[in-house]
Every structure is written in C-alpha cells, then in structure tokens.
C-alpha cells in the first residue's frame, strides 16, 4: 500500500475534483444540448418527405458506424482546416457529443413517436383538440415517459465518452491525474496506480447512480 | 481537394493499422464472449457467492470508460508488479469491458425463454442437461444474437482507444499522418474509409446472422 500517501499530498485531491468537474460539465452541457437536437432529429426522422428521411438516415448511420474518437478527430482537425474554424478541443468535444447524442436520442424519439398508436391522435382530434393540443397533451407526455430511461442511459454513455477529451488535449480529470503523476514521479514512484485508481473510482461514482436511476425508471414505467 | 498521391503513399500504413485494430478486436471480443458466457452461466445457475461477484464486475465494467480501464492496466498495475505488453493490456481491457455487455445480452437471451417451457420439459421427462441443450439454449441464442452483434460492433469501435497506449492502430496512423505532414484531409479521408471497410461488412454480416438465427419468425 505504499505510495497511497500521494492522494493526501496538499492539493492533489482538490485538483482531481476540479478535473472531474470539467468532465462533468462537458458531459452536462452535451446532454443538455442533445435533448433539443434529439427531439428535432427524431421528429425529422418521422416526417413524410423522403429526402429529409434519407438525409437523417445517412446522418444517423454515419454517426453510429464511426468510433467516437474518429468523430472527435474529424471535428477537431477537419473543421479547423475546412473553414478555418478554430474550435478549441472542448468545443470540438461538445460539438461531437451533441451530434452523436442528438442522433442516438433522435432514433429513440422516432421509436417512441411511432410506438404511440395513431388512434390516439385521431381520438384527440375527434374530441375537438387542435393538432398542437393533441401533440402536447396526448402524444408528448407519453413519448417523454418512454424516452426518459433511455436518455439517462445515454447520459451515462456521454459521461464515459468524455474521457476521450484527454486525447485532444482537454485538461479534464485524466489530464490532471497525469500532471500530478508527472510532478510527483520521483517522490511517489507508485503514484500512477493510486491516481488512476482514484480516477477509475470517480467515473464509477458519477456513472453508477445514473445507471441505477435509468434502471429504476425503466422498471417503473415498463407497463405504461 | 484531396491529394491522391499522398493517399496512395500512406494507404499501406492504414492497412497495417487496420490489421492492428482487427487483431486487438478479435482477441478482445473472444475474451469478452468467454467472460460473458461464464458470467451469464453463473447468474442463470444462481451460484451463491460468485453471482454477487459477477454483479459487482458487471456494474464496475459498465460504468467506467475503457480509456481509464486501459490506463489503469497499462500504467497503474505495473507498479504492483503486473507488467504486460500494450497488446495484452488492450485485449484484456477490451475483454473486461465487453464481458459485462456480453453477459447482459446473453442473460437477457436466457431469460427470454419462459419458465413454463423448462417446467414442461422436466414434466416430459427431460433431464436438466437435455432441457438446457434442446429447449432453452437454442431459443436463447436466437434472442441473444442481435444484442451480441451490437456489442461486437461496439467493441470494434471502442478499440479505437488503444492508440492511447501506443498501439499502432488506425487512429494512431491518422494522428501520425496529420502530425508529420499536415495532410489533414487525406488523413481523415483514410480514417473514415478504413473504418467503413472494417465495420460495414461486420454490420451487414450481423444483419444476416440476425435473420439466420431468428427462429421465431421463420
């Protein structure tokens, strides 16, 4: 167990927490922006226009088949080159996570929208509701219910994927860990084990409650 | 826009990178399948202590990123005396991550077979082993196949992270090419094409297998 004292060294733990905050912040912003993008994307996937549907299909399939790290490279290196648009690494991460989360969520929205029987919209119409009323009072509440567990799951995946940000040079929890390890290499040769161990645990502590929440929601609303 | 001479010159590097990606993926997925099978068997058979251990493993593996798992294996564990090559780390890491996903897919497949069928089989005089091999497993496979295939594709994609522990896979080649020559477009083009060449056939094969194993619908 020798070397674990590195974690008690002044400033080490607070700095790791700061790094974790960056990670959580990137994930939270990405999830927050994914929701409107996903709702619009999901709606576009169900429209009648074949061109729109084909475009959405290609968008979804491309995002799904490419590894997230490849998407990050494309955004980070490609965009700067193409339009001289110098997105910083954090911006590239958020952009990719929103496009990815939006596509995944869009597919869920599409599934949820299609799962609600057409009869309900017709019934609402017959009862004298306008199409907006029937959408916002009848269809949307049911869609959101079916959507929430999957969205929480998606949030977990986005938090985990945020770890890739370090490979673009974002100073988040892993990078902070590496800096601490490098700064203490001579004093604590075994610090690597402990610092990475703590980061491992930190990710688990963030993601696990989300997974549990998703499962609980799934169970609760399974029969609705 | 694209300089084809650069693409022609560097394409062989991406072929080498693709082989590394495939090598890590194949062994990692094989390990994941074995781990998953073992875990699913333990959970279905309700083995007392092991079952709780499997639950812990599944939660830990599913709720941490592969990159952090790899850093821990590759940089952290050697401090305890477990020194292994980058290739071994990548395969073990992918197997560790994938094992839990495979276990969940297989367990879901086994649970999809109604309990009544098992009871009926016993009643008809099937032994436990016969019930498993003749009744439960064939149906479990057909409902587990889509999940397992989705996991295979997921794991090949996840393997893109191994460049972080200095394995020369597709991502590594891309970064190298951009860093050395600033040929960003060509590098990204080769990156996209290489992953499409690897993943599209797997995806198509997966759809075919899904249909092949869909006994319920045939």
């Amino acid at each position: 167990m020798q070397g674990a004292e590195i974690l008690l060294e002044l400033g080490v733990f607070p700095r790791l927490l700061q790094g974790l905050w960056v990670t959580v912040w990137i994930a939270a912003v990405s999830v927050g922006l994914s929701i409107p993008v996903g709702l619009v994307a999901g709606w576009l996937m169900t429209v009648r226009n074949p061109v729109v549907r084909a475009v959405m299909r290609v968008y979804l399939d491309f995002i799904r088949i490419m590894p997230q790290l490849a998407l990050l490279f494309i955004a980070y290196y490609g965009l700067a080159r193409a339009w001289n648009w110098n997105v910083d690494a954090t911006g590239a991460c958020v952009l990719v996570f929103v496009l990815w989360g939006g596509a995944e969520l869009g597919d869920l929205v599409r599934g949820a929208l299609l799962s609600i029987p057409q009869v309900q919209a017709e019934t609402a119409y017959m009862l004298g509701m306008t199409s907006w009323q029937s959408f916002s009072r009848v269809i949307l509440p049911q869609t959101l219910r079916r959507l929430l567990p999957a969205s929480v799951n998606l949030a977990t995946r986005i938090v985990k994927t945020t770890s890739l940000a370090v490979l673009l040079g974002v100073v988040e929890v892993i990078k902070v860990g590496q800096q601490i390890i490098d700064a203490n290499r001579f004093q604590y040769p075994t610090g690597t084990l402990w610092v990475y161990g703590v980061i491992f645990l930190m990710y688990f502590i963030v993601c696990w409650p989300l997974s549990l929440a998703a499962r609980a929601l799934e169970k609760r609303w399974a029969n609705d | 826009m694209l300089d084809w001479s650069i693409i022609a010159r560097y394409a062989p590097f991406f072929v080498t990178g693709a082989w590394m990606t495939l090598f890590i993926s194949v062994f990692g997925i094989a390990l994941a399948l074995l781990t998953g099978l073992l875990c699913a068997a333990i959970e279905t058979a309700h083995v007392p202590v092991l079952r709780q251990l499997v639950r812990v493993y599944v939660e830990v593996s599913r709720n941490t990123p592969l990159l952090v798992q790899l850093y821990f294996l590759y940089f952290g564990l050697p401090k305890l005396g477990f020194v292994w090559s980058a290739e071994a780390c990548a395969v073990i890491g992918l197997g560790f991550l994938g094992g839990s996903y495979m276990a969940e897919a297989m367990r879901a497949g086994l649970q999809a077979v109604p309990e009544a069928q098992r009871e009926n089989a016993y009643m008809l005089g099937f032994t436990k082993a016969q019930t498993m091999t003749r009744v439960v497993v064939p149906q479990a496979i057909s409902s587990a196949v889509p999940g397992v295939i989705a996991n295979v594709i997921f794991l090949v994609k996840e393997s893109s992270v191994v460049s972080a522990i200095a394995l020369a896979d597709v991502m590594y080649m891309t970064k190298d090419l951009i860093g050395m020559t600033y040929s960003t477009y060509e590098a990204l083009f080769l990156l996209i094409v290489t992953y499409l060449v690897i993943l599209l056939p797997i995806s198509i094969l997966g759809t075919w297998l899904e249909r092949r194993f869909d006994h319920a619908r045939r």
Side-chain angles (χ1 to χ4, degrees), chain A residues 159-175:
Chain A
V159 172
K160 284 190 288 174
T161 316
T162 315
S163 64
L164 300 182
V166 69
L167 301 178
L168 295 190
V170 177
V171 184
E172 39 70 89
V173 66
I174 301 173
K175 189 77 207 170

Side-chain angles (χ1 to χ4, degrees), chain A residues 29-128:
Chain A
V29 170
S30 306
V31 173
L33 292 176
S34 295
I35 292 170
V37 172
L39 285 173
V40 172
W43 168 67
L44 285 175
M45 285 175 195
T46 54
V47 296
R48 292 229 178 76
N49 188 328
V51 180
V52 174
R53 279 228 307 267
V55 169
M56 294 312 288
R57 187 81 242 167
V58 171
Y59 162 54
L60 179 66
D61 282 350
F62 181 77
I63 294 269
R64 278 221 172 130
I65 209 160
M66 278 292 135
Q68 271 99 41
L69 187 55
L71 293 174
L72 283 173
F73 268 47
I74 294 167
Y76 188 52
Y77 295 106
L79 288 182
R81 193 63 196 273
W83 297 306
N84 223 351
W85 186 23
N86 270 312
V87 270
D88 65 343
T90 314
C93 286
V94 171
L95 179 71
V96 166
F97 295 155
V98 169
L99 285 178
W100 168 57
E104 291 281 359
L105 204 61
D107 198 39
L108 295 169
V109 171
R110 183 191 60 84
L113 283 176
L114 291 180
S115 75
I116 291 164
Q118 186 67 34
V119 171
Q120 295 200 11
E122 286 160 8
T123 313
Y125 184 68
M126 212 193 68
L127 288 170

Side-chain angles (χ1 to χ4, degrees), chain A residues 62-71 73-75 77-79 81-83 100 104 156-157 159-161 163-168 174 178 185 189-194 196-201 203-205 207-208 211-212 215, chain B residues 55-56 59-69 71-72 75-80 96-97 101 104 153-154 156-158 160-164 171-172 174-175 178 182-186 188 191-196 199-200 203:
Chain A
F62 181 77
I63 294 269
R64 278 221 172 130
I65 209 160
M66 278 292 135
Q68 271 99 41
L69 187 55
L71 293 174
F73 268 47
I74 294 167
Y77 295 106
L79 288 182
R81 193 63 196 273
W83 297 306
W100 168 57
E104 291 281 359
T156 324
R157 283 171 67 197
V159 172
K160 284 190 288 174
T161 316
S163 64
L164 300 182
V166 69
L167 301 178
L168 295 190
I174 301 173
Q178 287 171 348
R185 190 158 301 272
T190 56
T192 325
L193 178 70
W194 298 102
Y196 281 134
V198 165
I199 295 173
F200 192 95
L201 218 69
Y203 267 104
F204 182 72
I205 290 170
C207 292
W208 195 44
S211 299
L212 291 180
R215 218 172 300 154
Chain B
R55 278 327 302 169
V56 173
E59 294 298 337
V60 169
S61 138
R62 283 185 78 107
N63 288 303
T64 47
L66 178 60
L67 185 63
V68 177
Q69 295 171 2
Y71 276 158
F72 188 75
F75 297 114
L77 283 188
K79 306 291 177 195
L80 285 181
F96 178 83
L97 175 81
Y101 284 83
E104 295 289 277
I153 294 172
F154 162 72
V156 176
K157 284 164 59 184
E158 282 288 302
S160 61
V161 176
V162 301
S163 57
M171 293 309 304
Y172 186 95
T174 312
K175 203 167 180 184
I178 294 175
Y182 292 111
S183 311
T184 313
Y185 288 141
E186 288 76 11
L188 293 177
L191 167 71
I192 293 171
V193 169
T194 314
Y195 267 116
L196 285 182
L199 288 164
L200 272 181
S203 164

Side-chain angles (χ1 to χ4, degrees), chain B residues 122-164:
Chain B
Y122 293 143
M123 214 191 65
L124 290 169
F126 279 47
T127 64
K128 224 170 176 178
Q130 279 173 331
T131 312
M132 248 350 208
T133 54
R134 303 285 167 87
V135 180
V136 178
V137 170
Q139 298 184 80
I141 288 177
S142 103
S143 43
V145 156
V148 168
I149 288 167
N151 289 340
V152 165
I153 294 172
F154 162 72
L155 289 172
V156 176
K157 284 164 59 184
E158 282 288 302
S159 82
S160 61
V161 176
V162 301
S163 57

